[in-house]
Amino acid sequence: MHAAARFADYLSRKRLKMTRERRVILEQVLAARGHFGVDDLQEILRKAGHTVSRASLYRTLPHLVESGLVHKLEMAKGQARYEPMVGRHHHDHMVCLECGKIIEFESREIERLQDRVCRRKRFSMTGHTHQIRGYCDGCAGRRGPRAGGPDPQAHRV
Amino acid sequence: MHAAARFADYLSRKRLKMTRERRVILEQVLAARGHFGVDDLQEILRKAGHTVSRASLYRTLPHLVESGLVHKLEMAKGQARYEPMVGRHHHDHMVCLECGKIIEFESREIERLQDRVCRRKRFSMTGHTHQIRGYCDGCAGRRGPRAGGPDPQAHRV
DNA sequence: ACAGATACTGCAACTCAGTCTCAATTATCG
DNA sequence: CGATAATTGAGACTGAGTTGCAGTATCTGT
């Protein structure tokens, strides 16, 4: 099913409306080819010649997430980032504490073990976040091997 | 090495001072037997007859984290929770979206796979967060099987 | 033990992401 | 075509966390 149709379907099932703003947001979000924050998105929209208030972005993004078209990443300090999920399958992220780069990874095996843990604990999983912090190839080299000490536990990102 | 001594060591290596406030915070944090937020901690301290300003809590907790005595959990919407880590080994968390309960789990196998992924991506890991969202045994039952639809993606916690 | 250097504390003002209220607007259903 | 209910933008607001400042406490060297 086409993304726009899928969103339209989601909206109508919830008795919500397909407004100009939602259409434009959807369009630009799907065109984005990376991870973006709310302010980034507003900038993208502005460049595309549209104005949408921050309030509307904050109101629309959860719908895109809930309809499965977009995925939300919770970064440190409550900074949320989003990424389009159309035609992609689930993956998790590594975040470089030096340059902020986000590297995607996926592991069927980890997912499988995760399911097993949930079954064992009688926990009904609806979603998960698996984020690895550290330094990417380039940054680890520049900092020198084994530098840094203990994990600053996402004081940055 | 005893926790207090370890913290003292950490402080002196960083040319920081062991103040009354830090001593009291350390003491109460180590005595806590669960996950707590900053306000919880202030309440705990108050009940123990100590007054420490929120600012000092916010200034001290990162030191406890960096010295490895305490672990920080990043929950949704930037709400941080902490847990003492003395004499415990690493574990991850399941968070019930209904009642807020935090269930701990650990899996050597997942950790191993995680290391492997990092090696493959040439990523130098300093830490990670693996959080599973969903409904605990009790709450899943009360909500009825298969209720809820897609992951609300940590709009709650 | 003392003094000087330096870090720490509490307070209150501030930041920043995100939420909410409200009046005006607009999509949708019959 | 209306009526009805959802949506929008603006700006006020919230809540977690941070920061500048003036006074205070710890630590270091002697």
Short mmCIF file of all heavy atoms in Angstrom, two decimals, chain D residues 6-22:
data_model
loop_
_atom_site.label_atom_id
_atom_site.label_comp_id
_atom_site.label_asym_id
_atom_site.label_seq_id
_atom_site.Cartn_x
_atom_site.Cartn_y
_atom_site.Cartn_z
P DA D 6 -13.91 15.66 16.88
OP1 DA D 6 -13.76 14.26 17.31
OP2 DA D 6 -14.07 16.75 17.86
"O5'" DA D 6 -12.70 16.02 15.92
"C5'" DA D 6 -12.59 15.34 14.67
"C4'" DA D 6 -11.62 16.09 13.81
"O4'" DA D 6 -12.12 17.42 13.56
"C3'" DA D 6 -10.25 16.26 14.45
"O3'" DA D 6 -9.28 16.09 13.43
"C2'" DA D 6 -10.29 17.68 14.99
"C1'" DA D 6 -11.14 18.38 13.94
N9 DA D 6 -11.85 19.56 14.42
C8 DA D 6 -12.68 19.65 15.50
N7 DA D 6 -13.19 20.85 15.67
C5 DA D 6 -12.66 21.59 14.62
C6 DA D 6 -12.81 22.94 14.23
N6 DA D 6 -13.58 23.81 14.90
N1 DA D 6 -12.15 23.36 13.14
C2 DA D 6 -11.38 22.47 12.48
N3 DA D 6 -11.17 21.18 12.75
C4 DA D 6 -11.84 20.81 13.84
P DT D 7 -7.78 16.38 13.70
OP1 DT D 7 -7.02 15.61 12.71
OP2 DT D 7 -7.54 16.26 15.15
"O5'" DT D 7 -7.64 17.92 13.29
"C5'" DT D 7 -7.85 18.27 11.94
"C4'" DT D 7 -7.14 19.58 11.65
"O4'" DT D 7 -7.92 20.66 12.17
"C3'" DT D 7 -5.75 19.71 12.25
"O3'" DT D 7 -4.86 20.14 11.23
"C2'" DT D 7 -5.91 20.74 13.37
"C1'" DT D 7 -7.11 21.54 12.90
N1 DT D 7 -7.97 22.09 13.97
C2 DT D 7 -8.34 23.42 13.90
O2 DT D 7 -7.98 24.16 13.02
N3 DT D 7 -9.15 23.83 14.93
C4 DT D 7 -9.63 23.08 15.98
O4 DT D 7 -10.36 23.57 16.83
C5 DT D 7 -9.20 21.69 15.99
C7 DT D 7 -9.65 20.80 17.08
C6 DT D 7 -8.40 21.28 14.99
P DT D 8 -3.36 20.38 11.49
OP1 DT D 8 -2.66 19.96 10.27
OP2 DT D 8 -3.01 19.82 12.80
"O5'" DT D 8 -3.28 21.96 11.59
"C5'" DT D 8 -3.82 22.75 10.54
"C4'" DT D 8 -3.74 24.21 10.91
"O4'" DT D 8 -4.78 24.50 11.88
"C3'" DT D 8 -2.41 24.57 11.57
"O3'" DT D 8 -1.68 25.47 10.75
"C2'" DT D 8 -2.80 25.23 12.90
"C1'" DT D 8 -4.29 25.41 12.82
N1 DT D 8 -4.98 25.07 14.09
C2 DT D 8 -5.75 26.02 14.70
O2 DT D 8 -5.88 27.15 14.26
N3 DT D 8 -6.36 25.60 15.86
C4 DT D 8 -6.28 24.36 16.45
O4 DT D 8 -6.87 24.11 17.48
C5 DT D 8 -5.45 23.40 15.75
C7 DT D 8 -5.28 22.02 16.30
C6 DT D 8 -4.85 23.80 14.63
P DG D 9 -0.17 25.73 11.00
OP1 DG D 9 0.49 26.01 9.72
OP2 DG D 9 0.33 24.69 11.91
"O5'" DG D 9 -0.26 27.08 11.83
"C5'" DG D 9 -0.88 28.21 11.24
"C4'" DG D 9 -0.85 29.36 12.21
"O4'" DG D 9 -1.72 29.06 13.33
"C3'" DG D 9 0.52 29.67 12.80
"O3'" DG D 9 0.65 31.08 12.85
"C2'" DG D 9 0.48 29.04 14.19
"C1'" DG D 9 -0.99 29.11 14.55
N9 DG D 9 -1.50 28.00 15.36
C8 DG D 9 -1.13 26.69 15.30
N7 DG D 9 -1.79 25.92 16.12
C5 DG D 9 -2.67 26.77 16.75
C6 DG D 9 -3.65 26.50 17.75
O6 DG D 9 -3.95 25.44 18.27
N1 DG D 9 -4.33 27.67 18.13
C2 DG D 9 -4.10 28.91 17.61
N2 DG D 9 -4.84 29.89 18.10
N3 DG D 9 -3.19 29.17 16.68
C4 DG D 9 -2.51 28.06 16.30
P DA D 10 1.99 31.77 13.21
OP1 DA D 10 2.13 32.92 12.28
OP2 DA D 10 3.05 30.76 13.33
"O5'" DA D 10 1.68 32.35 14.66
"C5'" DA D 10 0.48 33.12 14.85
"C4'" DA D 10 0.32 33.43 16.32
"O4'" DA D 10 -0.32 32.31 16.97
"C3'" DA D 10 1.65 33.65 17.05
"O3'" DA D 10 1.62 34.90 17.72
"C2'" DA D 10 1.77 32.48 18.01
"C1'" DA D 10 0.33 32.00 18.17
N9 DA D 10 0.22 30.56 18.33
C8 DA D 10 0.97 29.60 17.68
N7 DA D 10 0.66 28.38 18.03
C5 DA D 10 -0.35 28.53 18.96
C6 DA D 10 -1.11 27.61 19.70
N6 DA D 10 -0.93 26.29 19.61
N1 DA D 10 -2.03 28.09 20.55
C2 DA D 10 -2.20 29.42 20.65
N3 DA D 10 -1.55 30.39 19.99
C4 DA D 10 -0.63 29.87 19.15
P DG D 11 2.93 35.38 18.50
OP1 DG D 11 3.00 36.85 18.38
OP2 DG D 11 4.07 34.53 18.12
"O5'" DG D 11 2.53 35.03 20.00
"C5'" DG D 11 1.18 35.18 20.44
"C4'" DG D 11 1.02 34.46 21.75
"O4'" DG D 11 0.90 33.03 21.52
"C3'" DG D 11 2.23 34.61 22.68
"O3'" DG D 11 1.75 34.69 24.01
"C2'" DG D 11 3.01 33.32 22.46
"C1'" DG D 11 1.84 32.35 22.33
N9 DG D 11 2.16 31.07 21.71
C8 DG D 11 3.08 30.80 20.73
N7 DG D 11 3.13 29.52 20.43
C5 DG D 11 2.18 28.93 21.25
C6 DG D 11 1.78 27.58 21.38
O6 DG D 11 2.20 26.60 20.75
N1 DG D 11 0.79 27.41 22.34
C2 DG D 11 0.25 28.43 23.08
N2 DG D 11 -0.69 28.10 23.95
N3 DG D 11 0.61 29.70 22.97
C4 DG D 11 1.58 29.87 22.05
P DA D 12 2.71 35.24 25.15
OP1 DA D 12 2.45 36.70 25.23
OP2 DA D 12 4.09 34.75 24.95
"O5'" DA D 12 2.10 34.55 26.44
"C5'" DA D 12 0.69 34.40 26.55
"C4'" DA D 12 0.39 33.12 27.30
"O4'" DA D 12 0.67 31.98 26.46
"C3'" DA D 12 1.22 32.95 28.57
"O3'" DA D 12 0.39 32.45 29.60
"C2'" DA D 12 2.30 31.95 28.16
"C1'" DA D 12 1.56 31.10 27.14
N9 DA D 12 2.41 30.45 26.15
C8 DA D 12 3.35 31.04 25.35
N7 DA D 12 3.97 30.21 24.55
C5 DA D 12 3.39 28.99 24.84
C6 DA D 12 3.61 27.69 24.33
N6 DA D 12 4.50 27.43 23.37
N1 DA D 12 2.87 26.69 24.84
C2 DA D 12 1.98 26.96 25.79
N3 DA D 12 1.68 28.13 26.36
C4 DA D 12 2.43 29.11 25.82
P DC D 13 0.96 32.21 31.06
OP1 DC D 13 -0.18 32.36 32.00
OP2 DC D 13 2.20 33.01 31.22
"O5'" DC D 13 1.37 30.67 31.05
"C5'" DC D 13 0.38 29.72 30.67
"C4'" DC D 13 1.01 28.35 30.65
"O4'" DC D 13 1.85 28.22 29.48
"C3'" DC D 13 1.90 28.03 31.86
"O3'" DC D 13 1.38 26.87 32.47
"C2'" DC D 13 3.28 27.79 31.25
"C1'" DC D 13 2.94 27.40 29.83
N1 DC D 13 4.00 27.62 28.82
C2 DC D 13 4.44 26.52 28.07
O2 DC D 13 3.95 25.42 28.29
N3 DC D 13 5.40 26.70 27.12
C4 DC D 13 5.90 27.92 26.92
N4 DC D 13 6.83 28.05 25.97
C5 DC D 13 5.47 29.05 27.67
C6 DC D 13 4.53 28.85 28.60
P DT D 14 1.87 26.48 33.99
OP1 DT D 14 0.67 26.15 34.77
OP2 DT D 14 2.87 27.48 34.47
"O5'" DT D 14 2.64 25.12 33.71
"C5'" DT D 14 2.05 24.13 32.90
"C4'" DT D 14 3.08 23.05 32.61
"O4'" DT D 14 3.96 23.50 31.56
"C3'" DT D 14 3.96 22.72 33.81
"O3'" DT D 14 3.82 21.34 34.06
"C2'" DT D 14 5.37 23.11 33.38
"C1'" DT D 14 5.28 23.11 31.87
N1 DT D 14 6.15 24.05 31.13
C2 DT D 14 6.95 23.56 30.12
O2 DT D 14 7.01 22.38 29.83
N3 DT D 14 7.69 24.51 29.46
C4 DT D 14 7.71 25.87 29.71
O4 DT D 14 8.41 26.61 29.03
C5 DT D 14 6.86 26.32 30.78
C7 DT D 14 6.83 27.77 31.14
C6 DT D 14 6.13 25.40 31.43
P DG D 15 4.21 20.73 35.47
OP1 DG D 15 3.03 20.14 36.08
OP2 DG D 15 4.99 21.76 36.20
"O5'" DG D 15 5.20 19.58 35.02
"C5'" DG D 15 5.66 19.49 33.67
"C4'" DG D 15 7.06 18.94 33.66
"O4'" DG D 15 7.90 19.85 32.90
"C3'" DG D 15 7.76 18.81 35.01
"O3'" DG D 15 8.64 17.71 34.92
"C2'" DG D 15 8.49 20.12 35.15
"C1'" DG D 15 8.92 20.39 33.71
N9 DG D 15 9.07 21.79 33.36
C8 DG D 15 8.54 22.87 34.01
N7 DG D 15 8.86 24.01 33.46
C5 DG D 15 9.64 23.65 32.37
C6 DG D 15 10.27 24.46 31.39
O6 DG D 15 10.26 25.68 31.28
N1 DG D 15 10.96 23.69 30.46
C2 DG D 15 11.04 22.31 30.47
N2 DG D 15 11.74 21.74 29.51
N3 DG D 15 10.45 21.55 31.39
C4 DG D 15 9.77 22.28 32.30
P DA D 16 9.54 17.25 36.15
OP1 DA D 16 9.12 15.90 36.55
OP2 DA D 16 9.63 18.33 37.14
"O5'" DA D 16 10.94 17.13 35.41
"C5'" DA D 16 11.03 16.33 34.24
"C4'" DA D 16 12.34 16.59 33.57
"O4'" DA D 16 12.36 17.96 33.10
"C3'" DA D 16 13.55 16.44 34.48
"O3'" DA D 16 14.57 15.76 33.78
"C2'" DA D 16 13.93 17.87 34.84
"C1'" DA D 16 13.49 18.64 33.60
N9 DA D 16 13.07 20.01 33.89
C8 DA D 16 12.22 20.43 34.88
N7 DA D 16 12.02 21.72 34.89
C5 DA D 16 12.79 22.19 33.83
C6 DA D 16 12.99 23.48 33.31
N6 DA D 16 12.43 24.57 33.81
N1 DA D 16 13.81 23.60 32.24
C2 DA D 16 14.37 22.50 31.74
N3 DA D 16 14.24 21.22 32.13
C4 DA D 16 13.43 21.14 33.20
P DG D 17 15.87 15.31 34.53
OP1 DG D 17 16.40 14.13 33.82
OP2 DG D 17 15.59 15.26 35.98
"O5'" DG D 17 16.83 16.52 34.23
"C5'" DG D 17 17.09 16.85 32.87
"C4'" DG D 17 17.76 18.19 32.80
"O4'" DG D 17 16.87 19.21 33.29
"C3'" DG D 17 19.05 18.34 33.61
"O3'" DG D 17 20.08 18.67 32.69
"C2'" DG D 17 18.76 19.48 34.57
"C1'" DG D 17 17.67 20.24 33.83
N9 DG D 17 16.84 21.10 34.64
C8 DG D 17 16.04 20.75 35.70
N7 DG D 17 15.42 21.77 36.23
C5 DG D 17 15.84 22.86 35.47
C6 DG D 17 15.50 24.24 35.57
O6 DG D 17 14.75 24.78 36.38
N1 DG D 17 16.14 25.00 34.59
C2 DG D 17 17.00 24.50 33.65
N2 DG D 17 17.52 25.37 32.79
N3 DG D 17 17.31 23.21 33.55
C4 DG D 17 16.70 22.46 34.48
P DT D 18 21.57 18.90 33.15
OP1 DT D 18 22.42 18.36 32.09
OP2 DT D 18 21.71 18.49 34.56
"O5'" DT D 18 21.69 20.50 33.08
"C5'" DT D 18 21.26 21.16 31.90
"C4'" DT D 18 21.61 22.63 31.99
"O4'" DT D 18 20.68 23.31 32.86
"C3'" DT D 18 23.01 22.93 32.53
"O3'" DT D 18 23.57 23.89 31.66
"C2'" DT D 18 22.74 23.46 33.94
"C1'" DT D 18 21.39 24.14 33.75
N1 DT D 18 20.51 24.23 34.95
C2 DT D 18 19.97 25.45 35.27
O2 DT D 18 20.20 26.46 34.64
N3 DT D 18 19.13 25.43 36.35
C4 DT D 18 18.79 24.35 37.13
O4 DT D 18 18.02 24.47 38.07
C5 DT D 18 19.41 23.11 36.75
C7 DT D 18 19.10 21.88 37.53
C6 DT D 18 20.22 23.10 35.69
P DT D 19 25.05 24.39 31.80
OP1 DT D 19 25.54 24.64 30.43
OP2 DT D 19 25.75 23.50 32.74
"O5'" DT D 19 24.85 25.82 32.50
"C5'" DT D 19 23.89 26.73 31.98
"C4'" DT D 19 23.96 28.01 32.78
"O4'" DT D 19 23.08 27.93 33.91
"C3'" DT D 19 25.35 28.34 33.34
"O3'" DT D 19 25.55 29.74 33.20
"C2'" DT D 19 25.24 27.95 34.81
"C1'" DT D 19 23.78 28.27 35.09
N1 DT D 19 23.14 27.50 36.18
C2 DT D 19 22.18 28.13 36.94
O2 DT D 19 21.86 29.28 36.78
N3 DT D 19 21.61 27.33 37.91
C4 DT D 19 21.90 26.02 38.18
O4 DT D 19 21.31 25.43 39.07
C5 DT D 19 22.91 25.42 37.35
C7 DT D 19 23.30 24.02 37.57
C6 DT D 19 23.48 26.19 36.40
P DG D 20 27.01 30.36 33.23
OP1 DG D 20 27.38 30.79 31.87
OP2 DG D 20 27.90 29.46 33.98
"O5'" DG D 20 26.74 31.67 34.10
"C5'" DG D 20 25.55 32.45 33.88
"C4'" DG D 20 25.38 33.44 35.01
"O4'" DG D 20 24.69 32.80 36.11
"C3'" DG D 20 26.68 33.97 35.58
"O3'" DG D 20 26.47 35.32 35.98
"C2'" DG D 20 26.94 33.06 36.78
"C1'" DG D 20 25.53 32.73 37.24
N9 DG D 20 25.37 31.38 37.79
C8 DG D 20 25.99 30.23 37.35
N7 DG D 20 25.63 29.17 38.02
C5 DG D 20 24.71 29.64 38.94
C6 DG D 20 23.97 28.96 39.95
O6 DG D 20 23.96 27.76 40.21
N1 DG D 20 23.16 29.83 40.67
C2 DG D 20 23.07 31.18 40.46
N2 DG D 20 22.24 31.85 41.25
N3 DG D 20 23.75 31.84 39.53
C4 DG D 20 24.55 31.01 38.81
P DC D 21 27.69 36.18 36.52
OP1 DC D 21 27.52 37.53 35.92
OP2 DC D 21 28.96 35.45 36.38
"O5'" DC D 21 27.32 36.28 38.07
"C5'" DC D 21 25.96 36.39 38.47
"C4'" DC D 21 25.85 36.27 39.98
"O4'" DC D 21 25.59 34.90 40.35
"C3'" DC D 21 27.13 36.67 40.73
"O3'" DC D 21 26.80 37.50 41.83
"C2'" DC D 21 27.71 35.35 41.19
"C1'" DC D 21 26.43 34.54 41.42
N1 DC D 21 26.62 33.07 41.35
C2 DC D 21 25.89 32.26 42.24
O2 DC D 21 25.12 32.77 43.03
N3 DC D 21 26.08 30.91 42.18
C4 DC D 21 26.93 30.39 41.31
N4 DC D 21 27.08 29.07 41.29
C5 DC D 21 27.69 31.20 40.40
C6 DC D 21 27.50 32.53 40.46
P DA D 22 27.91 38.57 42.36
OP1 DA D 22 27.47 39.90 41.89
OP2 DA D 22 29.28 38.08 42.06
"O5'" DA D 22 27.67 38.48 43.92
"C5'" DA D 22 26.35 38.29 44.45
"C4'" DA D 22 26.45 37.49 45.74
"O4'" DA D 22 26.63 36.08 45.43
"C3'" DA D 22 27.64 37.87 46.62
"O3'" DA D 22 27.22 37.86 47.98
"C2'" DA D 22 28.66 36.78 46.35
"C1'" DA D 22 27.75 35.58 46.14
N9 DA D 22 28.33 34.49 45.34
C8 DA D 22 29.27 34.59 44.34
N7 DA D 22 29.60 33.42 43.80
C5 DA D 22 28.81 32.52 44.49
C6 DA D 22 28.68 31.11 44.40
N6 DA D 22 29.37 30.37 43.53
N1 DA D 22 27.82 30.52 45.24
C2 DA D 22 27.13 31.27 46.12
N3 DA D 22 27.16 32.59 46.29
C4 DA D 22 28.03 33.16 45.45
#
